[in-house]
Amino acid sequence: MPTRRAKIPATKYPVERFVLDNGLRVVLTPDRSAPVIGVAVVYDVGIRSEPEGRTGFAHLFEHLMFQGSENLEKLAHFRHVQGAGGTFNGSTHLDYTDYFETLPSNALERALFLEADRMRGPRLTEENLRNQVDVVKEEIRVNVLNRPYGGFPWLTLPPVMFDTFPNAHDGYGSFVDLESATVADAADFFRHYYASGNAVLAVSGDIDVAEAATLIERHFGDVPARPAPERPDFAEPDLTAERRSTYTDALAPLPAVAGAWRVPDPITDFAGYLPYVVLAEVLTDGDASRLVERMVQRDRSVTGLGGYLGFMGDPFDVRDPTALLLQAHLPPGGDVDKVLRTIDEELDRLATDGLTEGELARTQARMATHLLRDTDAVLGRALRMAVLEQQRGEPGLLNELPRLVGDVTEDQVRAAAATLRPERRASVEVVAGGQK
């Protein structure tokens, strides 16, 4: 008997798209309900794009983009955004780098000027480079080297699962690679990847579409036209035999394990990919989920457990190759082999026996709630639409995602679970070195 389906509400955010003569793609989504705007610029360059010998360079360059630009001195971007009452940041992902602001709507032109100015050219100097290399090294110390479970599993699992440099290397970077970076390297990286034809600008919130389009043309229209570079093929074959790796974390107080399985291409096979997104939540989202109920509450074989798609945790901003990940922390003396066996048992049980009444509907309702909440704020909307445009040419898919999640059937979830076999799994075990 089929399980009850969730009723998923839809959003109807309007979407206006156009392309400037220099190749910059623009997405506008007006919402006059509050005098706030979100501005996002996404460049089609990420960790997978950086060359060998330059690990961490995509993230380093993100830092350099805040160190002044063609007409602005160092720290001017900070001052102009915060002086208008706004906030800003940037982030580096596997497949893109983004820069964004939230501002009062009367500061739209200010935000456009700031982003256009650094799209023309950041201030790449020896002083700025050396300073930001030191900043990134300190970030690595804080977030990876001197933190329990630092880099687990987003840095430690890819080299087990993948064989090629783009997919397997340390995206935070080695100190040797970072220290050997030159201004010429940075200038070449900018010329190659930070082209107007390789970028998307999205503006969401309290805007008049015609006025915003005029301002965008005014500030971005004369950015020199450079085409997008051809994106390499990062494909790798699926695993045919289980891969396992172990390392000791001197700071970790408890053992941990993460396992991952390859999933269908999220861009070219979105329909085949979506059931895995739902499956990860069925397995791990909330106290009533499959693995949490059994392994945390009943067996107590783990102290905590999570599951998600993509090594950085967002299922709708990744390209192939990617994976479904499950990670768990164990109690002292915990048995990693038992944990992996239990996961296999639960996957088999789900594939064979199906879901319980209401299990799928409950999970889909929670997922839809998270999707709706994430795009309720204007910046979340701008960022999501920019990435959807960048990777798919479909920013309006934002309105469809909750419904598409709700359309996934029990049979599709069961079929997805049946593919997560031990021989297709890569796993990494953390041996606790910090126990007293």
Side-chain angles (χ1 to χ4, degrees):
M1 181 176 177
T3 57
R4 180 167 47 87
R5 301 289 289 279
K7 285 189 175 181
I8 305 296
T11 55
K12 296 181 180 179
Y13 296 122
V15 182
E16 301 282 344
R17 300 169 69 223
F18 59 93
V19 182
L20 299 186
D21 290 343
N22 59 15
L24 176 67
R25 289 179 281 168
V26 180
V27 179
L28 303 178
T29 174
D31 177 358
R32 312 308 293 267
S33 61
V36 181
I37 55 168
V39 178
V41 179
V42 170
Y43 294 89
D44 197 343
V45 56
I47 289 169
R48 278 199 261 237
S49 306
E50 55 198 21
E52 292 192 54
R54 288 293 175 265
T55 59
F57 203 91
H59 176 231
L60 172 63
F61 197 87
E62 176 219 316
H63 279 246
L64 290 172
M65 286 285 279
F66 287 96
Q67 301 305 302
S69 54
E70 189 173 83
N71 294 296
L72 293 171
E73 73 278 13
K74 188 172 184 174
L75 302 182
H77 193 109
F78 300 47
R79 188 173 69 253
H80 286 301
V81 173
Q82 293 173 334
T87 59
F88 66 93
N89 212 331
S91 58
T92 308
H93 302 251
L94 289 177
D95 296 304
Y96 68 92
T97 306
D98 57 23
Y99 303 87
F100 46 88
E101 295 87 18
T102 301
L103 289 156
S105 53
N106 62 5
L108 171 61
E109 186 164 15
R110 180 179 299 210
L112 296 176
F113 166 76
L114 293 171
E115 290 297 351
D117 204 56
R118 61 178 168 186
M119 185 179 286
R120 287 188 196 90
R123 195 163 289 216
L124 302 176
T125 67
E126 186 67 25
E127 177 189 1
N128 284 345
L129 177 61
R130 299 275 70 86
N131 174 268
Q132 292 310 302
V133 166
D134 288 342
V135 170
V136 170
K137 286 167 60 180
E138 185 60 22
E139 192 175 320
I140 294 170
R141 292 187 187 100
V142 170
N143 292 335
V144 180
L145 301 179
N146 297 327
R147 172 180 290 186
Y149 313 105
F152 171 78
W154 79 278
L155 294 179
T156 57
L157 188 51
V160 183
M161 171 164 268
F162 298 117
D163 296 320
T164 66
F165 174 82
N167 297 314
H169 76 277
D170 181 344
Y172 239 144
S174 76
F175 283 12
V176 171
D177 285 356
L178 290 167
E179 289 165 353
S180 63
T182 67
V183 173
D185 292 331
D188 184 65
F189 196 81
F190 175 79
R191 280 191 300 270
H192 191 65
Y193 292 110
Y194 277 72
S196 53
N198 207 38
V200 174
L201 165 68
V203 183
S204 175
D206 185 21
I207 57 171
D208 175 272
V209 169
E211 179 186 351
T214 299
L215 291 174
I216 289 166
E217 178 64 48
R218 178 185 304 166
H219 290 284
F220 287 89
D222 65 350
V223 174
R226 299 200 312 279
E230 184 176 348
R231 187 172 184 271
D233 181 4
F234 296 129
E236 288 197 37
D238 195 3
L239 299 185
T240 57
E242 184 179 12
R243 295 183 180 182
R244 294 184 64 169
S245 180
T246 301
Y247 70 98
T248 299
D249 183 337
L251 301 176
L254 297 171
V257 65
W261 299 258
R262 290 281 296 279
V263 296
D265 189 319
I267 305 298
T268 63
D269 187 13
F270 194 45
Y273 174 77
L274 278 171
Y276 291 86
V277 180
V278 176
L279 171 61
E281 302 298 317
V282 166
L283 293 171
T284 65
D285 185 30
D287 290 344
S289 62
R290 290 284 176 124
L291 296 181
V292 173
E293 190 279 329
R294 176 171 176 185
M295 300 172 72
V296 177
Q297 298 178 351
R298 193 189 338 154
D299 297 352
R300 299 192 178 182
S301 57
V302 303
T303 58
L305 182 142
Y308 48 94
L309 272 290
F311 291 89
M312 291 184 160
D314 190 323
F316 301 117
D317 67 359
V318 294
R319 289 167 166 154
D320 192 62
T322 190
L324 184 153
L325 276 73
L326 298 174
Q327 66 181 79
H329 291 77
L330 284 64
D335 187 339
V336 166
D337 289 333
K338 179 181 177 182
V339 167
L340 293 176
R341 283 197 307 271
T342 303
I343 290 172
D344 292 337
E345 289 172 12
E346 289 300 311
L347 288 168
D348 287 343
R349 187 165 71 90
L350 178 56
T352 302
D353 299 338
L355 291 94
T356 60
E357 177 63 28
E359 184 177 10
L360 181 59
R362 179 184 69 242
T363 301
Q364 290 168 320
R366 287 170 65 106
M367 294 176 70
T369 299
H370 294 153
L371 285 168
L372 294 167
R373 182 193 62 199
D374 290 346
T375 55
D376 182 55
V378 290
L379 180 59
R381 212 174 306 156
L383 283 166
R384 176 76 78 197
M385 286 193 173
V387 175
L388 289 172
E389 169 64 36
Q390 176 232 354
Q391 296 186 344
R392 302 170 179 273
E394 294 183 78
L397 187 62
L398 174 141
N399 289 316
E400 300 297 319
L401 286 176
R403 179 187 62 79
L404 291 171
V405 164
D407 285 346
V408 171
T409 67
E410 176 182 355
D411 286 346
Q412 290 175 311
V413 174
R414 292 175 62 177
T419 69
L420 304 189
R421 308 302 305 160
E423 62 269 18
R424 296 184 58 242
R425 180 174 59 216
S427 63
V428 61
E429 174 186 351
V430 179
V431 175
Q435 297 183 49
K436 293 186 178 180

